[in-house]
Amino acid sequence: MHALAAAAPLLTLLVLLGVVRMRSHWAGLIALGLGLALGTTMFGLPLHEALSGAAEGAAFGLFPIVWIILNAVWINKLQHATRYFDVVGRTFSSVSGDRRIQALLVAYCFGAMVESISGFGTPIAVTSVILVTLGLSPMRAAVVALFANTAPAAFGSLGNPIQGLAKVTSFPESLLGEMAGRQSAIIAALVPFALMLLLDGRRGLRELWPAALTAGLGFAAGQLLCSNLLTYQLTDLSAAVVSTLALVVLLHFWKPLRTAGDSCNDAPPQRDSRHDIVVAFSPYAILVGLFAITAFVGPVQRAVANVGFSFTWPGLRLDDRSGRPLPITVFDFQWLGSSGTILLITGIATACILGVSARRALGCYGLALKQIRWAIVSISVVLALSYVMNISGMAHDLGVWAAGTGSAFALLSGALGWFGVALTGSDTSSNVLFGAMQVAAAHRVGVSPLLMAAANSSGGMQGKAVAMQNLVLGTTAVGLQGREGDILRRVLWWSVSLLLVLCVLAWLQTNALSWMVPSP
């Protein structure tokens, strides 16, 4: 009964979005109200702590998530204000005239590269607007960008999900990275096939399966080899690079029989100068460069980390067994190293390089803020719900229920990770939330604790596609506010389907495929 009550707020949110087709901010407010009511009654959470936790969740929604969306949309507005916006689309068209392959390169390959150094939904905001530039409809662009972001989610930004998992499970980070790589690589290799179906149905898969296979195998090879032989922090970057190179090589020797894109037109394609191409892509080059510098250059990394502060949220004191505040009660305001701040700096540099005046740039910022106004409400209330469910014990009760299923737990382990990401929008948060419980349950039912811990991170991959804040981020970036339910209906089946593959894989790794589990 408690497990059903614990799941009720999230299930209500999904039904209101996907079935009732209610606008996301109203659906989020109703789910939040239900979560507060259940948390303070059935789960015994004091009202002042429930309200304080909701306030912290809303604040986390504003920073860093809304901060990321605002500045990503601003960069898009700046590009739209110049002639360079169309140059991006024509450049990708020169690699392949097929819009579906262009989408694969942008959302799957380039998106994973951005994810590897930023996270927090940044790839969805960045790649969705590029896909619109390439000629995809806003709805299809948001769907493709959102689902493609599931492939790199298990390792996220510089392996943060693995680091979080290591903290709560006491397993070495490298060992968790190895195990997660042996699961996520298989699931990530299937994502391009789903993308082809999302882009053009069975016809798209029939015509472009060589491209999907090449990109998927390249991505899987990059993830598997880097996580097991090199360093897990660079797993997604390696996967993105190998996948891109493999796809480019394939296109030198193979072309689809039918091309879906601008190249179908009889008019000769417009050719841009090298200077225009460099200028058009400078925002993305600056973005990747800034993320790389702050992530890999030691002195810069330390300097950035020292700018900002952390504090225990007022009115919310939850301690672990050693008496230290639980991570969920500590609010980190590391403003300089935030992805949103890096996007802001990128936007300022973009305005200078593209020749946008200060007055026009400020006007574009105002338009971006106006565009995301309802997204601010939606994201804030959903994160508030997430925090209430965490501090009230709802999420923990779901985990305990899953652990009580005995030998079937191996099949449900990945589903817990999916639920955690669907709830929080973050694989790192899901790992922190359920990681220790996965290990304890694995000991209880007699399966590998390492395997179940990694399955939490790998299962969370597909939760990215249905997380509320990611749905809002995708719709907001392309100007489809209020259409989150439409996107959810398009991606939910694929999300659950690949989750089932992961669950079966994890179960097989407890017996027939046990050789895939590294020894601690």
Side-chain angles (χ1 to χ4, degrees):
M1 185 64 181
H2 261 234
L4 181 60
L10 184 61
L11 294 175
T12 298
L13 180 63
L14 295 176
V15 170
L16 290 177
L17 285 174
V19 180
V20 181
R21 303 191 180 191
M22 185 178 291
R23 286 186 172 272
S24 59
H25 52 279
W26 291 118
L29 284 168
I30 292 172
L32 174 59
L34 178 60
L36 287 169
L38 290 171
T40 54
T41 54
M42 289 189 65
F43 294 87
L45 182 66
L47 180 60
H48 73 278
E49 289 189 6
L51 295 176
S52 180
E56 185 188 4
F60 182 76
L62 294 174
F63 182 90
I65 297 175
V66 169
W67 184 231
I68 291 171
I69 299 172
L70 174 60
N71 291 302
V73 173
W74 179 45
I75 292 174
N76 180 41
K77 297 292 185 186
L78 290 173
Q79 290 178 304
H80 267 288
T82 70
R83 64 185 179 86
Y84 295 105
F85 183 77
D86 293 329
V87 176
V88 174
R90 289 195 293 267
T91 303
F92 275 108
S93 298
S94 68
V95 177
S96 171
D98 193 294
R99 194 171 292 152
R100 300 163 297 180
I101 294 179
Q102 297 165 13
L104 190 61
L105 280 167
V106 171
Y108 185 68
C109 300
F110 180 64
M113 186 179 299
V114 176
E115 174 72 20
S116 70
I117 51 179
S118 61
F120 281 109
T122 309
I124 300 171
V126 171
T127 60
S128 59
V129 294
I130 299 178
L131 293 175
V132 173
T133 306
L134 295 175
L136 268 67
S137 68
M139 175 59 68
R140 187 160 293 178
V143 167
V144 170
L146 182 68
F147 196 79
N149 189 234
T150 63
F155 290 90
S157 172
L158 295 173
N160 278 336
I162 302 300
Q163 293 169 21
L165 192 59
K167 287 181 181 178
V168 298
T169 62
S170 299
F171 280 115
E173 295 176 2
S174 59
L175 196 62
L176 286 168
E178 287 182 31
M179 186 64 249
R182 299 179 189 190
Q183 294 175 329
S184 65
I186 295 173
I187 306 304
L190 300 176
V191 171
F193 295 95
L195 291 176
M196 291 300 104
L197 289 165
L198 286 168
L199 283 163
D200 197 22
R202 294 181 181 177
R203 180 179 63 177
L205 183 60
R206 184 173 60 252
E207 294 176 349
L208 296 178
W209 68 264
L213 179 64
T214 301
L217 289 179
F219 198 99
Q223 273 202 334
L224 183 63
L225 294 176
C226 190
S227 62
N228 279 259
L229 300 178
L230 299 174
T231 174
Y232 73 91
Q233 289 95 333
L234 300 180
T235 294
D236 285 336
L237 182 61
S238 172
V241 171
V242 175
S243 181
T244 302
L245 292 176
L247 198 51
V248 169
V249 171
L250 173 72
L251 294 173
H252 277 289
F253 301 97
W254 170 87
K255 304 291 181 186
L257 295 177
R258 184 186 68 88
T259 301
D262 294 334
S263 60
C264 295
N265 300 332
D266 295 331
Q270 179 179 342
R271 297 191 178 277
D272 299 292
S273 67
R274 184 173 299 176
H275 172 269
D276 284 351
I277 293 174
V278 171
V279 171
F281 278 89
S282 61
Y284 309 111
I286 294 169
L287 178 66
V288 173
L290 288 175
F291 275 125
I293 290 171
T294 56
F296 297 120
V297 179
V300 177
Q301 186 182 29
R302 289 189 291 272
V304 168
N306 289 330
V307 179
F309 55 90
S310 302
F311 61 92
T312 301
W313 192 261
L316 193 64
R317 181 75 189 192
L318 300 172
D319 298 333
D320 60 17
R321 293 180 179 177
S322 62
R324 292 175 298 184
L326 289 172
I328 193 173
T329 67
V330 178
F331 190 86
D332 290 316
F333 190 70
Q334 305 297 328
W335 64 270
L336 185 57
S338 165
S339 297
T341 302
I342 293 176
L343 280 163
L344 174 65
I345 297 171
T346 301
I348 294 172
T350 297
C352 295
I353 293 173
L354 300 186
V356 180
S357 67
R359 182 176 181 179
R360 194 174 187 185
L362 286 173
C364 288
Y365 207 88
L367 291 174
L369 185 59
K370 181 180 179 181
Q371 179 176 324
I372 71 167
R373 63 190 185 279
W374 290 115
I376 295 174
V377 179
S378 300
I379 291 174
S380 297
V381 297
V382 170
L383 265 296
L385 170 63
S386 171
Y387 272 61
V388 169
M389 291 185 67
N390 285 338
I391 64 175
S392 66
M394 293 184 192
H396 177 266
D397 276 17
L398 281 170
V400 171
W401 170 80
T405 58
S407 58
F409 177 69
L411 280 170
L412 294 173
S413 177
L416 278 178
W418 181 92
F419 179 87
V421 177
L423 175 65
T424 65
S426 165
D427 205 40
T428 303
S429 298
S430 175
N431 286 346
V432 172
L433 183 63
F434 288 131
M437 187 281 302
Q438 295 268 19
V439 171
H443 281 296
R444 191 178 308 166
V445 301
V447 297
S448 168
L450 174 66
L451 171 61
M452 295 298 97
N456 195 84
S457 193
S458 301
M461 292 168 65
Q462 295 308 312
K464 277 275 190 176
V466 297
M468 183 62 209
Q469 51 266 48
N470 289 342
L471 290 168
V472 175
L473 196 156
T475 56
T476 304
V478 297
L480 292 176
Q481 296 90 330
R483 301 284 301 279
E484 292 81 11
D486 293 337
I487 294 182
L488 176 62
R489 284 189 293 276
R490 296 192 183 202
V491 300
L492 180 59
W493 190 90
W494 295 107
S495 173
V496 173
S497 295
L498 291 190
L499 170 64
L500 290 175
V501 174
L502 182 278
C503 289
V504 172
L505 173 64
W507 176 74
L508 289 173
Q509 287 175 329
T510 65
N511 44 73
L513 300 180
S514 58
W515 54 268
M516 295 182 68
V517 181
S519 301

